[in-house]
Amino acid sequence: MKKSASPRVSKSAERITAILDVLQQTYPNAVCALHHKSAWQLTVATILSAQCTDVRVNLVTPALFKTFPTPKAMAAATLPELEELIRTTGFFRNKAKSLQGAGRIITEEFHGKVPQTMPELLRIPGVARKTANVVLGTWFKIADGIVVDTHVLRIARRLQLTKQTTPEKVERDLMRIIPQSQWIDFTHRIISHGRQVCIARKPRCADCPLEHLCNAPDKTFSSH
Ligand code: SF4
């Protein structure tokens, strides 16, 4: 019999490959659910998506982009004007300040264009690693990190890909075990899985294609 040099590592690597394969087969066309036509629109939509559903953001952005179509226009908007347009997304005062500030810095320091590096993106008001990873991955196709939103955090823990509880540490663990070529698709697929099957309360484990690979303590059904 062929001897494995490191059975533990290989077993865990095989499990991760199996999880990635199932996700790819189940959600082959998963994409970002936030409607956008440019890096700027995606940046705005992602800032607005904090503590808010993508569906709600998509209801708000058409009028927002029509009224203030460019970073320069948004920089010149008043806070009450912005607040009125984004009120239903929650935390609208902070978000209005972020949008106005994002418009300003992109206009004044980045020549009106959304930058394509993590350090530059992190200088934009309202943009933390999650938003930066969304913009880099979804728009620029640059895999600099892995988006860790509420779905990715919950499911990475359920699948025992990490024991961490903060997005930064979960991201670091995922970046260590998932091939970089899959970082962007992994995010979209896990978010789809989190919305459709592995929901926060009472996950639909009996219908889950990952069930045979999952030992989550809060599983609602187990075949093994
Ligand atoms: S088996 Fe249940 S807990 Fe595990 S990934 Fe599937 S839905 Fe989530």
Side-chain angles (χ1 to χ4, degrees):
M1 197 205 292
K2 203 178 162 196
K3 226 177 160 188
S4 162
S6 174
R8 252 186 95 209
V9 171
S10 136
K11 192 176 166 213
S12 122
E14 278 167 15
R15 181 173 170 271
I16 289 159
T17 302
I19 289 171
L20 295 175
D21 285 350
V22 170
L23 287 171
Q24 200 246 328
Q25 284 156 19
T26 313
Y27 308 102
N29 303 315
V31 289
C32 177
L34 292 167
H35 297 167
H36 62 279
K37 291 184 181 141
S38 66
W40 165 244
Q41 290 192 355
L42 182 57
T43 305
V44 170
T46 311
I47 290 172
L48 292 176
S49 72
Q51 310 288 322
C52 179
T53 64
D54 290 355
V55 173
R56 166 69 49 197
V57 173
N58 290 338
L59 288 173
V60 158
T61 44
L64 180 66
F65 295 145
K66 196 168 175 212
T67 315
F68 304 110
T70 61
K72 196 173 176 188
M74 208 159 289
T78 67
L79 289 178
E81 283 173 326
L82 290 174
E83 286 169 4
E84 194 51 41
L85 284 163
I86 65 169
R87 186 174 293 270
T88 56
T89 66
F91 302 97
F92 61 93
R93 292 213 164 84
N94 279 341
K95 288 180 182 175
K97 278 189 204 133
S98 294
L99 295 188
Q100 191 191 56
R104 274 185 193 152
I105 195 165
I106 289 173
T107 305
E108 291 165 12
E109 298 192 24
F110 300 115
H111 311 291
K113 297 215 179 317
V114 175
Q116 299 188 33
T117 68
M118 179 64 74
E120 288 174 312
L121 281 165
L122 293 178
R123 291 183 52 211
I124 298 172
V127 174
R129 270 196 77 86
K130 190 194 90 174
T131 301
N133 275 326
V134 170
V135 175
L136 287 174
T138 298
W139 186 262
F140 294 115
K141 310 292 176 218
I142 296 170
D144 193 275
I146 296 178
V147 175
V148 177
D149 73 347
T150 179
H151 298 294
V152 177
L153 195 144
R154 179 179 73 251
I155 297 168
R157 284 176 54 79
R158 278 178 172 162
L159 289 171
Q160 292 164 327
L161 302 177
T162 182
K163 288 184 174 154
Q164 301 295 340
T165 52
T166 64
E168 296 75 19
K169 289 183 180 169
V170 170
E171 183 186 357
R172 231 173 292 151
D173 278 355
L174 293 177
M175 286 167 73
R176 261 198 295 265
I177 57 174
I178 293 171
Q180 189 170 8
S181 59
Q182 300 217 31
W183 288 356
I184 298 169
D185 288 336
F186 173 79
T187 294
H188 294 141
R189 289 169 186 158
I190 283 281
I191 291 173
S192 295
H193 189 56
R195 291 199 169 118
Q196 296 169 40
V197 182
C198 193
I199 50 182
R201 281 187 203 172
K202 294 199 187 149
R204 301 186 179 121
C205 305
D207 300 323
C208 178
L210 291 169
E211 191 277 322
H212 61 294
L213 297 161
C214 178
N215 293 307
D218 57 342
K219 276 175 84 171
T220 55
F221 164 84
S222 188
S223 64
H224 59 101

